[in-house]
Amino acid sequence: MTLNKRNFLASTLALAAALGGLGSAHAQSALDGVMKGKLIKIAVPTDFPPYGFVGIDLKPQGLDVDTANLIAAKLGVKVELVPVTSANRIPYLQTKKADLVISTLGKNPEREKVIDFTAAYSPFFQAVYGPKGTALADFNGLGGKSVAVTRGAIEDQELTKIAPANTDIKRFEDNNATVSAFVSGQTQFIATGVSVADNMIKRNPALGAEYKLLLKDSPNFIGVAKGEDALRTKVNEIIASAKKAGELDAMAKKWLGRPAGNLPE
């Protein structure tokens, strides 16, 4: 090999290494960007009490909002709350409209293919609810029945797997529309999270709705973009510290009426 060829090869390898380094730096850039800009953008729900909703002062509040504020405070940065729905929360993370998603996000293999998750920060579960006078012993009983569900939510995914093929699953774009469909009699049942159901039942006592079938125990995790390991590790440290200090239990008691308990890491 001639000297020129050796120099060319060396230069090519050096350039490739430099580009690879840039790629690695870019993949880990979210935390650096947050700390340099002193701002973190966190996607939260605004139609999902008590996890995220708009109060009488027109400001977002709820367990997810408190968690977002806690993380920002521990990082020493300001927080920009980005309202999302079940359908767009993951795309917002993928397109960098948000650095984190704290929006009652359950972890499953399909989602793990496109985003990463921190440790769990709060409890949650999904179930099927219906009128007290309507018997529903198991999921086979949903055959030929109509069920309202929020498109893209974990209860949509779980119900689709479990329900008989002739179940009439009616999908709506947000939780308010899903609840309205059931309350107005457009569907016979509703599949949703316990928080949404509790709020619905309290607001509509004459409806006589009750818990019927458990769909899934699904603790809430914080979503992080793929490759952002530095940010994920830092948030995990904050969650672990808040768990040990009793802050997670305190927030869960405030909004859910029970402590966070033993959450998966």
Side-chain angles (χ1 to χ4, degrees):
M1 183 181 291
T2 65
L3 182 60
N4 286 340
K5 286 184 177 179
R6 287 178 180 172
N7 288 340
F8 175 75
L9 179 59
S11 298
T12 301
L13 292 173
L15 179 59
L19 289 174
L22 285 174
S24 176
H26 176 73
Q28 302 295 333
S29 65
L31 180 60
D32 288 339
V34 166
M35 300 312 293
K36 288 177 182 177
K38 296 296 181 184
L39 176 71
I40 187 166
K41 294 180 290 183
I42 302 180
V44 296
T46 54
D47 67 339
F48 210 82
Y51 290 92
F53 60 102
V54 178
I56 57 174
D57 58 359
L58 302 182
K59 294 181 179 179
Q61 58 181 286
L63 177 54
D64 286 354
V65 175
D66 280 1
T67 303
N69 288 329
L70 172 73
I71 288 174
K74 298 290 186 182
L75 287 172
V77 301
K78 292 182 179 180
V79 62
E80 178 184 333
L81 299 175
V82 182
V84 290
T85 64
S86 293
N88 69 17
R89 55 191 170 174
I90 290 178
Y92 266 46
L93 188 61
Q94 293 173 307
T95 57
K96 300 188 184 299
K97 291 180 180 178
D99 299 303
L100 298 172
V101 171
I102 305 180
S103 182
T104 59
L105 194 62
K107 181 166 66 171
N108 60 43
E110 290 77 18
R111 287 176 177 167
E112 287 185 292
K113 292 176 183 177
V114 294
I115 65 171
D116 288 333
F117 293 88
T118 67
Y121 68 94
S122 72
F124 195 84
F125 67 84
Q126 293 81 20
V128 174
Y129 296 80
K132 290 181 180 178
T134 304
L136 187 64
D138 55 38
F139 286 98
N140 289 329
L142 289 176
K145 304 293 196 305
S146 57
V147 187
V149 69
T150 300
R151 188 187 306 279
I154 196 165
E155 53 265 22
D156 180 10
Q157 299 171 23
E158 293 301 318
L159 186 66
T160 301
K161 293 178 190 174
I162 299 171
N166 62 337
T167 303
D168 182 13
I169 301 176
K170 295 186 181 297
R171 296 176 173 84
F172 300 88
E173 295 306 315
D174 57 45
N175 293 302
N176 288 334
T178 302
V179 169
S180 294
F182 174 67
V183 170
S184 65
Q186 294 179 49
T187 66
Q188 295 161 282
F189 296 94
I190 181 172
T192 190
V194 59
S195 60
V196 174
D198 284 350
N199 186 57
M200 174 189 70
I201 292 168
K202 288 175 183 176
R203 290 189 175 189
N204 303 275
L207 189 63
E210 65 177 6
Y211 167 93
K212 295 293 185 182
L213 300 170
L214 177 68
L215 271 172
K216 186 178 179 65
D217 276 314
S218 178
N220 296 317
F221 297 79
I222 297 173
V224 186
K226 277 290 184 186
E228 296 295 354
D229 296 334
L231 179 59
R232 181 174 56 82
T233 299
K234 186 64 179 178
V235 173
N236 274 339
E237 290 173 2
I238 292 171
I239 291 173
S241 176
K243 191 179 198 177
K244 185 176 181 180
E247 291 171 296
L248 296 189
D249 279 336
M251 288 191 297
K253 285 180 181 178
K254 174 184 175 181
W255 294 106
L256 305 177
R258 63 166 179 152
N262 294 321
L263 298 171
E265 296 181 356

